[in-house]
Amino acid sequence: MPRRRTTSSSSSTAPSAPSAPRNRTPQPVRVRRRSFGDFVKAFLAFLVLLVLVVGVPLALATQIGWPLPDGAPSLDWLQREITVQTFLRILTVIVWFAWAQFTACVLVEVKAALSGVGVPGRVPGSGPSQLLARQLVAALLLVGATAASLTPGLSQLGQSLEGNQKPSVAAAQQTPGIFAQQQEQAAATAGALAEQAGQAVQAAARADGGSSAAHGDTKYYRIQPPEGRHHDSLWEVAERHLGDGRRYKEIFELNKDRVQPDGSRLSEASLIRPGWIMEMPGDARGGELVEMPDEAPNVSEQVQQQISDYARSGDHAQGSGGGSGSGDAQVSLPEQRPAPTPAHPVTPVTPAPHADREHAAPATAQDGHSFGLPEALLTAPLLAAGLLGALGRRRRQAMWQSALGAVGGRRGMEPPTPTGDAQDAQDALLVGADPEGVRLLDRSLRGLAASLAAESRPLPVVYAAWMSGNGDLHLQLAQPAGKPPTPWQQGQDQTFWMLARADAERYEDAETAAPYPGLVSLGTMDDSRLLLNLEAVPGIVSLGGTEADRAAVFASVAAELATNGWSDRMTITLVGFGDDLTPLAPNRIRHLDGFEDLFETMSAETRQRRGALGAAGHDSVLTGRTGPAQHTRWAPHLVLLAAQPSDDDALRLAELAADAGRLGIGYLVGTQGTDLPGAAWEMEITGEGRLLAPLLGLELDAQMLPAAQRRAVVELFTDADPGSDPEGGPGRPANAPQFLVDISEQGRPAVYARLVGSYEIIGLDAPDGERSALLHEALALLLLHREGVHPRVLSSALWPRGVTADVRDALLERLRTWLGTDPDGTPRLATDATGRLTLAKSVVSDLDVLRSLYYEATQGRGVDSRQVRGRLLTDALVLVRGPLLADRPEGRYRWLTHEIVDAQLPLLVADTGLALSEFHLERDRAEKAIEALNAALRTAPADERLWHELLRATHTTGDPDRLRSLAADLVDRSGARGVPPRTEALLDELLPTWREGVSAAG
């Protein structure tokens, strides 16, 4: 996609502080100078190493000798008596093996410390031995760092420009493992000493009157390759060698548009590639800089020549073009993809506008007005889909729990109808939701994990995902991970994997754990949606801005993480939130009172996860998530800290989050400033709803959930909670049907639609054949929502991929014409005060009649008249001809996936059958009761209550063979799951020998 320039020109002398937040490497804590006690510890460590490595073998050789026999043992040796000498020789062999293992650990640790490779290799089975060796070597080398930093050449040991090593401070911050803290302290000490030496050199240069600069001793820096999750950046280079990351603009201006060794050019400050050469300002300092390439002993001749050639290109013309050369610039932490260039051998895929979800765009761009729906939910398709799916599950759960525990009136079949802001929020969710996008994203990610597991390849670390307008998915990797598995393709460079929508649609459900559950939407840029992987960020993500704007972003992130469809299990810890978001997902969200509770909780979990990874032999949660380990152990834990932490709390949080990336723990912290310790990525939310991260190259239209919409969404979930009883005390029926039909002869409707079973309409002429299906679908949606349907909800249901206002209005006009008017001239399709479309009472469906009959039988006239109750229940059960809209065309009525009518109808039919069965059993008419229950089971075969009543009614016939046959049929229907416990207990009561009969039948 085209990039937006976020860097501005600045002079090379006094750059101004950027107004937007900046991306900073976490600052190491300054450590004290080495004391006499430190030298004593180093001396003691040297003595211990000398004794263990040299003294132990000498003592064994001189005191005991070689323990193994001189020749091959015979069978007589096995029959000899075991003596004390035999035990001593066995123990000697064990000591020799322990010494050899410890010596190997010492050699590995010394080699790693001298070469600067970061985490040393693991000696198999070493465990405590390698821990002891590492501590002794670290104690010895920490003091040695003082001499190394002041000795020419020694301070650059293992830091050649061709190596893959990153700066020592950054390396320590990125080093995972139990011993990261000791390595960070060592790196911090070396960095402090190097800085002191650099200051001394700078002071000497100033005293010399700048003669070095006059002699042309220009300094150069070579961009380092990525290591682990760390990528070099101009900000970090400026921070290390100029003392202030904000001076990255000076480096950019010195090197802008100059041809690099690979033929490309620097055009964006955030787009740099390993191996590029950067000319540095004259006051740059540090061991990684090269002043005279021909005299640098650690630089190869090829690199010397590259630097020399680059130095001669210093007087380049600024007007030579600002393009990206070959277009293959390395994309750094998560960057937007640069525009494709014809010269590049691989055609990059640039996300297109979000064409397939046009209806999710702001209403002002489509209709000229917003109909009063909240734009925050209209423009968040993944968030809306997650909330809508979770809300539907909550309502179904409430209905079933209420039905199973109800007596008398059987409460709960009618969920509460939202009003006011809650109704607007629900409509916005219906319009904005993109369940198909969620399904494709989930299948694509799980399919990728399954493909990599089949090839015995680990999951790559993914920083972000881009969902383009045409449905393609782009994963941005932390570092190159080889060729992607089919059907994935490589994007514009080796850090992008791309999956076309057509390939994603061919994916099937994969039985694997969700690989990247920490992905969450942040916003859109050029109609492409960015999802940041919070659990993979190497440190803290900070968010600046006003408190209200930050809270809106935090709420959006929390709500999507709690309800998204591409994760299995997750814990979301919220600190400093004014509104309780727990109703959205009680099993995922938890609120903590303050930082002390957070620190206590997360410290314990960090230790537990680190220990679990070590015990399982994994280096990160990604390895465990795709291996044979239990998936639940590697579920992500995301912490959203909305409150501004104090300085002390911020330091403690930075220490806690230093190793969080590989443990599956992410931190998003709100701050009013820009200097949060440990912040790997810094972002800012503006008052105009823009999310800025200049060094990352991000300028997004932020995804937010403001306070009013947040309260409305929470209200939807609270009202749907199974524990809530909006109508009062127990035993009192809950909501009456939204629309009651006059079931007398005088109430005959003008238009009657049959929805339960085959779709038929009585009382209207058949519409135009080409538009008949669309008009029938629109009428069905209106009949299922007698409270009214928002015009945008109707249009998004009929045209999920978007529609223009004129097409929608034309359909509504045809629908009004088709439905006509009542005899008094009232149109049968009207618009209420809120702008929603409503049907007249003369337009009725069989589902309306079924609800009205059941309501009258159980809560109306049938309560006082047994005869009326029996007639009404019988009439209601006759209306049931099959499932809802049984013959609907394939590809249409997809909006039914958002509805709960598929759960309401079987529940209503089951309750009707149970009530009619009870009516007949009161007069000992068992056969009639069995007939009613069987009729209800044809529509609600999974309702356990119907089977229980059928068993009881069959038992009353006094025919054990018939009861035994029914039990066998029930067992057969249960399949591998087995008979439910309550059904099994009932069978034991009614037919104790049922198991014998089932076995004989089998």
Side-chain angles (χ1 to χ4, degrees), residues 140-223:
L140 184 62
L141 294 183
L142 280 180
V143 176
T146 304
S149 62
L150 300 178
T151 302
L154 184 60
S155 62
Q156 296 184 7
L157 187 60
Q159 297 289 333
S160 70
L161 292 178
E162 288 186 315
N164 290 337
Q165 312 310 319
K166 58 188 170 192
S168 58
V169 174
Q173 291 165 346
Q174 298 298 330
T175 301
I178 300 176
F179 315 104
Q181 185 175 0
Q182 290 92 332
Q183 295 181 7
E184 288 178 3
Q185 293 175 352
T189 304
L193 293 170
E195 182 177 353
Q196 294 172 5
Q199 292 174 351
V201 173
Q202 185 178 2
R206 288 195 298 267
D208 193 40
S211 59
S212 296
H215 285 82
D217 292 338
T218 305
K219 301 178 179 66
Y220 297 92
Y221 173 83
R222 197 160 187 256
I223 302 300

Side-chain angles (χ1 to χ4, degrees), residues 606-665:
T606 299
R607 290 192 299 268
Q608 188 273 335
R609 289 197 175 213
R610 188 181 289 126
L613 281 177
H618 300 309
D619 58 348
S620 74
V621 295
L622 290 179
T623 308
R625 194 171 286 157
T626 56
Q630 296 179 358
H631 300 324
T632 55
R633 183 180 299 177
W634 320 114
H637 187 160
L638 303 175
V639 179
L640 307 183
L641 185 60
Q644 169 77 30
S646 65
D647 293 341
D648 293 339
D649 290 343
L651 290 174
R652 296 170 67 189
L653 186 63
E655 180 182 357
L656 187 64
D659 195 25
R662 74 183 189 97
L663 301 178
I665 303 176

Side-chain angles (χ1 to χ4, degrees), residues 26-43:
Q27 296 295 321
V29 179
R30 297 296 183 188
V31 297
R32 58 183 175 82
R33 294 174 177 270
R34 293 303 179 211
S35 63
F36 177 74
D38 296 326
F39 286 96
V40 172
K41 292 179 182 179
F43 179 70

Side-chain angles (χ1 to χ4, degrees), residues 770-786:
E770 297 180 356
R771 299 185 176 93
S772 176
L774 202 61
L775 291 173
H776 277 74
E777 185 175 358
L779 179 57
L781 178 61
L782 291 168
L783 286 168
L784 292 177
H785 291 276
R786 303 305 303 229

